[in-house]
Amino acid sequence: MRVELTSSDAPVGTPLGGRVFDCAPGALIEATSTLHDEGGEAWTARGVFTSDRSGVVDFAVAASLSGTFSGVDQDGLFWSAQPNSADTRLPDMLAGRVDGGLVPTVAPLAALVFEVAFRDTTTGNTEIRKVVRRRLAQNVRKSVLPAPLCGLLFEPETPNGAGVIVLGGSEGGVFPGRAALLAAEGFTTLALAYFAHPGRPDAAVELPMAYFGRALEWLSAREGISHTGIIGVSRGSEEAQLMVINAPNRIDCLIAWVPSHLIHRAIDLEAGQDFMTETRAMWSQDGHALEGIAFCAADVYDNRVQRADFQTPGGRRYRETFARAWQQTGAEAFRIPIERYGGPVLAVGGADDALWPSDVGAERVIDAARSRNEASDLLICPSAGHLIGTPGEPRPYPYVMHWGGGYMGIDNGFCAYGGTPEGAAIAARTSWKAALDFLHEHLCR
């Protein structure tokens, strides 16, 4: 048996390219990948393939018959990796003793280093290869933004003349993953922190629009930048939409990932504030608060009494809660009038988003955007939840987040995000390709 890989060291999301040669026709070849995270946890993925009549397994066309993924999937040995201790750690997590869920503890921009073992199940012959997937490409330079801006700048070795601002969601801090990968594609990207980060407020309460405007001015003024776009994820999609409305002639395109079409209220991660009873505004403009939508009284009460689904493996679904708020009388007053922008918009939603109905939000955004610009596009990802990330990343298991007491009004309970690991992996691939195509079309001209 002989293994030849064509992509042993590449950016995250690069498919596993290569072949296994010199096998008996019809031999079963088992491929097992192992990633050790910073906590020493081993994450393992496995696929079993049949060699063709020439005794070759070509990962571009060979289907996995069993293991942690099935079918033809060149990312399968990466995204389907699960912790070896899941059977023992999951009960502890559900009992509230393991924070954050079963997620690999790897620094946000650290390379994912997999050891992949290829074994002929008949002869026992085994070959091992190291496969590296880099979140920060070697041709990208990272630097810290100058005050008063907060966040990271990613500069490609060969820039394409386009700049992109990336805004994360309710987790706060810097959201560097997409920004770093975009820089590997030639975009100069700014991962902008706007709360819960040194130099920024701890809480997202009446955050001035002027801060985001300064970031746009700073990026646009950099040498070689001729076009600028913006990406907003989850709650960050609200600000991204507000930005393009306020600067329609300075931002060439917008991507809204798992968005809402409405303005919501403040986020205070430290105060223990139940987000459903929050009354403060998250955004402000020229000293005036931009009021956010309230939740239905029955849902606010229901959240306070903490129903049993907070303690189930599936976690509490807020999708229906948000849907009722979005449908109530007067909700339209909080809609972001994206049609005022006039530029092209791409919106990506998860059909099984359990946190909020981002598929509905994405549809509403694009319906309005298309009234001014037919180049706007909608992508709804089936079997995908709220966590539509970048391709090739191990998916969190299970699809819930543990909250240790406060923000969601949960005391050691679980919030569901929806989707399946396979659905999230497919959504990550398809939405990333759609985003790159969209940015190249509207920024690289």
Side-chain angles (χ1 to χ4, degrees):
M1 184 179 70
R2 176 169 53 90
V3 178
E4 291 185 3
L5 299 182
T6 59
S7 57
S8 294
D9 192 327
V12 68
T14 303
L16 179 69
R19 299 178 182 181
V20 179
F21 297 94
D22 302 334
C23 306
L28 292 179
I29 306 300
E30 179 187 63
T32 303
S33 68
T34 303
L35 166 73
H36 286 90
D37 68 16
E38 293 176 349
E41 179 79 68
W43 289 64
T44 301
R46 175 176 169 271
V48 178
F49 307 86
T50 303
S51 62
D52 62 21
R53 287 181 292 182
S54 301
V56 174
V57 175
D58 183 344
F59 293 108
V61 296
S64 173
L65 307 177
S66 62
T68 55
F69 69 101
S70 61
V72 179
D73 191 334
Q74 290 178 269
D75 282 335
L77 287 171
F78 308 132
W79 67 259
S80 71
Q82 299 292 347
N84 292 351
S85 66
D87 290 342
T88 55
R89 286 184 64 206
L90 182 56
D92 284 340
M93 192 192 80
L94 294 178
R97 295 194 294 272
V98 178
D99 283 344
L102 298 183
V103 183
T105 53
V106 180
L109 294 176
L112 303 177
V113 181
F114 295 88
E115 183 179 85
V116 185
F118 302 90
R119 184 176 70 91
D120 187 321
T121 61
T122 301
T123 66
N125 290 339
T126 302
E127 289 199 26
I128 297 175
R129 296 286 187 273
K130 183 173 81 169
V131 177
V132 178
R133 288 296 177 262
R134 298 186 183 275
R135 288 139 148 196
L136 181 63
Q138 294 172 310
N139 65 341
V140 172
R141 184 168 70 93
K142 180 189 74 169
S143 59
V144 176
L145 294 176
L149 301 179
C150 295
L152 297 172
L153 176 70
F154 297 92
E155 297 175 281
E157 195 173 84
T158 307
N160 60 17
V164 180
I165 296 175
V166 179
L167 302 175
S170 58
E171 72 280 359
V174 179
F175 200 71
R178 283 179 174 85
L181 285 182
L182 282 174
E185 299 286 338
F187 297 93
T188 300
T189 56
L190 190 163
L192 186 66
Y194 52 95
F195 82 104
H197 185 80
R200 295 299 301 159
D202 290 335
V205 179
E206 295 193 20
L207 299 175
M209 292 282 294
Y211 171 74
F212 302 92
R214 283 195 293 271
L216 174 61
E217 290 174 3
W218 185 86
L219 180 61
S220 300
R222 291 188 66 80
E223 184 178 356
I225 300 297
S226 57
H227 294 89
T228 307
I230 187 165
I231 293 173
V233 180
S234 192
R235 288 301 303 270
S237 71
E238 292 179 26
E239 176 56 32
Q241 292 174 71
L242 292 170
M243 281 186 70
V244 298
I245 290 171
N246 281 279
N249 299 320
R250 296 164 56 201
I251 302 178
D252 296 282
C253 66
L254 160 70
I255 300 178
W257 244 294
V258 290
S260 165
H261 58 298
L262 304 171
I263 297 176
H264 293 80
R265 292 179 173 179
I267 296 173
D268 194 340
L269 299 176
E270 299 298 328
Q273 173 70 47
D274 178 344
F275 82 112
M276 293 182 67
T277 59
E278 180 64 75
T279 59
R280 296 169 294 177
M282 184 163 177
W283 318 107
S284 68
Q285 185 170 11
D286 300 326
H288 300 288
L290 301 180
E291 298 298 336
I293 192 169
F295 289 88
C296 300
D299 284 317
V300 173
Y301 174 80
D302 185 51
N303 203 59
R304 282 176 173 170
V305 299
Q306 301 195 4
R307 284 171 47 179
D309 56 1
F310 288 136
Q311 299 296 335
T312 64
R316 181 73 185 272
R317 291 175 60 95
Y318 279 99
R319 178 187 177 93
E320 292 75 19
T321 301
F322 275 97
R324 283 188 287 270
W326 293 3
Q327 293 166 4
Q328 64 187 317
T329 302
E332 195 68 12
F334 303 98
R335 187 180 72 83
I336 303 169
I338 193 63
E339 64 275 8
R340 293 183 188 171
Y341 170 42
V345 179
L346 169 65
V348 179
D352 188 35
D353 191 330
L355 183 61
W356 70 8
S358 63
D359 50 343
V360 176
E363 289 172 355
R364 290 293 304 275
V365 168
I366 295 304
D367 284 347
R370 280 178 176 161
S371 68
R372 289 282 308 281
N373 193 311
E374 294 182 356
S376 296
D377 201 6
L378 173 68
L379 176 61
I380 303 299
C381 302
S383 300
H386 196 70
L387 301 179
I388 300 178
T390 49
E393 298 267 1
R395 301 293 119 195
Y397 174 87
Y399 254 49
V400 298
M401 178 62 76
H402 173 228
W403 292 97
Y407 169 50
M408 303 298 272
I410 304 171
D411 183 15
N412 281 328
F414 298 89
C415 174
Y417 282 98
T420 65
E422 182 179 16
I426 294 170
R429 282 197 297 264
T430 56
S431 65
W432 187 247
K433 182 181 183 306
L436 288 178
D437 290 346
F438 183 80
L439 292 174
H440 279 292
E441 179 181 358
H442 298 290
L443 298 183
C444 303
R445 55 183 189 222

